[in-house]
Amino acid sequence: MTNAQQDSELDGQFYKAADFFFPEHADTALTYDDVTLATLYSEILPGDTQLDVTLAEGLDLNIPIISADMDTVTESRMAIAMALNGGLGLLHYNMPEKQQLTELIRVKTHIHGLIQEPIKVAPDQLIGDVLKMIEESKFGFATFPVVDASGKLLGLLPGHVVKPRYARRKVAEALTPRSQVHTLSKKEIASDPIARADRFFNDHPGIHKLLVVGDDDKLHGLFTMSDVERITQEKKAQFKPARDARFRLICGAAVSATRNAFGELDRDRILAHVGALHERGLDVVAVSTAHGFSKGVGETVRMIRDSFPKLPIIAGNVTSAAGVQFLAERGANAIKVGQGPGSICTTRVVAGVGIPQLTALYVAARAAARSGVAIIADGGISKSGDLVKALTLAQAVICGGIFAGCPEAPGQTMEINGKHYKQYRGMGSLAAMKAGSAARYGHPTAVAAKVAPEGVEALKEVSGSVDSVLTQLIGGIQSGLGYLGAANLAQLRAKACYTRVSPAGMREANTHDIVEVKAGS
Ligand code: XMP
């Protein structure tokens, strides 16, 4: 036997591939901190690694990270930030269906190269009405094209006149007239709209809005300089925003297996809502419950699949091969794995049920490979190293707690003893279930105080923006790939070798015997 063969045999004896390692530990369920990954020969620099993943036909992410469908984590602001970084946000469902639709629309209209249906005002409207519209729709802008009843451009209402002081004046009295408004014709922007708009803004210092008109001078769209600049910058970023075929940011939304007053699955309501979301460009629906291997969830997935054959479906949560198979057979494309690993979860304590996450992922991943579906590791991620370990088995990861302290998460910041916090609560906490998530845990919607909560209400210290949190997480994943000689996520899954870690080994892994003066991140 050559030296090289002996070395490889020695390594193989201690550092084992998933198909040897996990069956050998079948009698003890393991999670992230129970194992470590072995380094392998590498020619790959972290910065050169690719992190893109396809979760279903038409659902492509540029980084494998998804923000959780929780009411203290993902609404439109979070979903926009996630998609701009190449990931995905799942809008939670603890809000009226109409509001979830509005949140989706906010994401899908966030940046257009050309805003094809800009918000317009009429000449006989009062400025006061315009102010009311801005407040009600929470617009972050105040400049509007003015059009007549046929859609013909009459001028531009500049933001500096949309003030309470002018509330009683008509738009017609305050607008910049058509003759002074900068426009391009549809023909002029035909070949490369962004490049043309970029050139226009270069040539017209101080002009931030550019309108597009047809031959009949009817309004056909609007460019804003900030959108154009952001899109131009995106071309240089390593991880590009996750966009759909029409260049809109991608967005997912969660639904639950809602029941009607008779305790039956509320088919009409679920289908009408998913239909409305689908119509507004929803990229993926997540049938999100605590127990995905159940009749109601299976029926919900099948019903959505039958009605919307091409809409990607995420479903869960499960922790068994049979659970994966069940949801895959009913039409799910990606299966959420995780029962009880979440930082705010008490399912394992309350119900005595749930599987430590790495073992659950291994079992689910092998079943998923047979069924041709993807696996998403949901919950329990507290550091980027956990992400790397999860991605040795799963195609993507869902994080809640890691993003709950970001400014983009819903909720106010509160100050306690000089420190700043945001609320973070389990969707199975009593407060969240009262707000609507009871169905997720198999309880009637009007939840009684007698129900045993499976999550807690907590606080997270305020963190940096989603951009900065993701920079750290992505950097960690790329380092992990570099250590394993993996150029992409598929190679990471194929190459990973594991070993158990002793409690002393775990202590050794963290900083020790020092006085830390500056935290690593
Ligand atoms: P992390 O660890 O990222 O976990 O904070 C987020 C995930 O936890 C799940 N989740 C819950 N699980 N009781 C549970 O047992 C709950 O109240 C609860 N709320 C959320 C969910 O899968 C989420 O993505």
Side-chain angles (χ1 to χ4, degrees):
M1 198 188 277
T2 65
N3 278 353
Q5 282 169 329
Q6 281 180 26
D7 291 343
S8 143
E9 202 169 278
L10 190 59
D11 282 340
Q13 204 183 335
F14 285 85
Y15 313 132
K16 298 192 173 158
D19 285 333
F20 295 98
F21 178 80
F22 286 100
E24 269 181 20
H25 292 89
D27 56 353
T28 314
L30 303 172
T31 193
Y32 301 122
D33 281 348
D34 290 320
V35 309
T36 190
L37 298 171
T39 54
L40 298 169
Y41 171 71
S42 182
E43 293 181 4
I44 306 291
L45 293 174
D48 295 336
T49 55
Q50 297 298 321
L51 302 185
D52 54 298
V53 61
T54 297
L55 293 180
E57 202 184 320
L59 183 61
D60 303 308
L61 311 192
N62 294 325
I63 60 165
I65 306 178
I66 300 172
S67 65
D69 51 302
M70 298 173 70
D71 61 5
T72 46
V73 180
T74 310
E75 291 181 355
S76 51
R77 252 189 100 188
M78 176 64 69
I80 288 167
M82 290 301 298
L84 283 172
N85 279 283
L88 170 72
L90 295 178
L91 300 171
H92 71 86
Y93 55 62
N94 255 3
M95 58 177 116
E97 284 148 351
K98 228 172 138 189
Q99 194 187 330
Q100 199 189 38
L101 197 59
T102 307
E103 293 292 317
L104 171 73
I105 292 167
R106 285 199 183 124
V107 183
K108 298 306 290 184
T109 54
H110 178 64
I111 292 182
H112 292 284
L114 174 68
I115 302 168
Q116 278 155 331
E117 283 178 26
I119 310 294
K120 303 166 270 268
V121 294
D124 53 355
Q125 261 180 291
L126 292 176
I127 303 266
D129 297 335
V130 178
L131 282 163
K132 210 162 138 212
M133 172 181 81
I134 294 174
E135 162 133 26
E136 281 172 4
S137 305
K138 297 197 168 51
F139 291 138
F141 52 89
T143 299
F144 300 93
V146 185
V147 295
D148 68 13
S150 71
K152 208 163 159 187
L153 185 64
L154 299 177
L156 191 68
L157 184 68
H160 62 258
V161 299
V162 185
K163 299 268 185 274
R165 137 190 333 266
Y166 308 121
R168 302 188 67 78
R169 285 180 186 271
K170 285 197 164 176
V171 165
E173 295 173 63
L175 58 74
T176 305
R178 169 71 186 94
S179 56
Q180 290 170 32
V181 175
H182 292 276
T183 57
L184 288 178
S185 73
K186 266 170 77 179
K187 279 185 213 129
E188 283 176 285
I189 62 158
S191 60
D192 189 345
I194 293 297
R196 181 67 191 88
D198 198 34
R199 208 163 67 237
F200 170 88
F201 289 123
N202 271 345
D203 296 343
H204 297 81
I207 304 294
H208 293 179
K209 298 263 190 300
L210 169 63
L211 302 179
V212 178
V213 291
D215 289 339
D216 47 6
D217 215 29
K218 284 193 181 159
L219 183 66
H220 280 270
L222 165 75
F223 286 110
T224 74
M225 190 165 80
S226 55
D227 284 359
V228 170
E229 279 179 350
R230 228 175 301 182
I231 291 167
T232 314
Q233 276 166 15
E234 278 170 24
K235 288 187 181 155
K236 295 175 205 142
Q238 188 186 4
F239 298 107
K240 302 211 178 333
R243 295 193 180 282
D244 65 15
R246 288 169 56 188
F247 211 66
R248 301 173 298 185
L249 295 178
I250 65 166
C251 185
V255 297
S256 72
T258 320
R259 294 188 176 272
N260 61 23
F262 308 105
E264 298 154 350
L265 208 59
D266 203 339
R267 291 168 182 274
D268 295 346
R269 183 170 162 189
I270 297 169
L271 285 183
H273 181 49
V274 175
L277 292 166
H278 185 45
E279 210 169 282
R280 304 312 293 243
L282 183 76
D283 297 278
V284 56
V285 63
V287 182
S288 222
T289 67
H291 190 15
F293 190 15
S294 58
K295 187 166 179 264
V297 179
E299 282 175 10
T300 306
V301 172
R302 174 147 287 158
M303 182 173 82
I304 296 175
R305 173 52 66 239
D306 289 347
S307 302
F308 308 99
K310 295 219 159 126
L311 178 64
I313 302 176
I314 294 174
N317 283 18
V318 299
T319 45
S320 66
V324 169
Q325 177 72 8
F326 173 78
L327 291 174
E329 273 173 8
R330 276 147 191 83
N333 305 95
I335 316 286
K336 289 208 282 166
V337 174
Q339 280 164 331
S343 54
I344 32 52
C345 300
T346 54
T347 295
R348 293 190 201 155
V349 181
V350 170
V353 168
I355 306 292
Q357 195 64 342
L358 266 187
T359 295
L361 286 176
Y362 174 75
V363 172
R366 291 306 173 258
R370 282 199 299 274
S371 311
V373 293
I375 284 294
I376 304 177
D378 182 9
I381 299 291
S382 61
K383 47 199 178 300
S384 57
D386 299 342
L387 268 174
V388 180
K389 292 172 193 173
L391 290 168
T392 62
L393 297 164
Q395 277 73 18
V397 173
I398 292 182
C399 299
I402 273 187
F403 296 125
C406 295
E408 292 87 345
Q412 302 298 320
T413 300
M414 57 193 104
E415 192 181 331
I416 303 173
N417 294 336
K419 282 197 165 177
H420 291 89
Y421 299 90
K422 287 188 91 158
Q423 189 193 24
Y424 181 44
R425 69 184 185 191
M427 292 295 274
S429 65
L430 204 54
M433 286 200 288
K434 279 186 176 159
S437 59
R440 180 185 184 121
Y441 293 85
H443 301 305
T445 318
V447 68
K450 276 186 189 157
V451 162
E454 290 178 35
V456 297
E457 291 173 61
L459 296 177
K460 285 293 285 189
E461 218 173 303
V462 163
S463 65
S465 64
V466 168
D467 286 8
S468 61
V469 171
L470 280 174
T471 301
Q472 294 301 317
L473 297 181
I474 292 168
I477 301 175
Q478 291 195 290
S479 294
L481 264 69
Y483 277 115
L484 267 70
N488 53 44
L489 295 172
Q491 289 184 14
L492 175 71
R493 291 196 297 278
K495 289 182 154 201
C497 288
Y498 312 75
T499 185
R500 283 293 311 264
V501 181
S502 67
M506 195 59 224
R507 274 200 302 282
E508 184 188 64
N510 289 297
T511 53
H512 52 88
D513 304 315
I514 52 154
V515 178
E516 192 164 319
V517 289
K518 203 161 186 227
S521 54

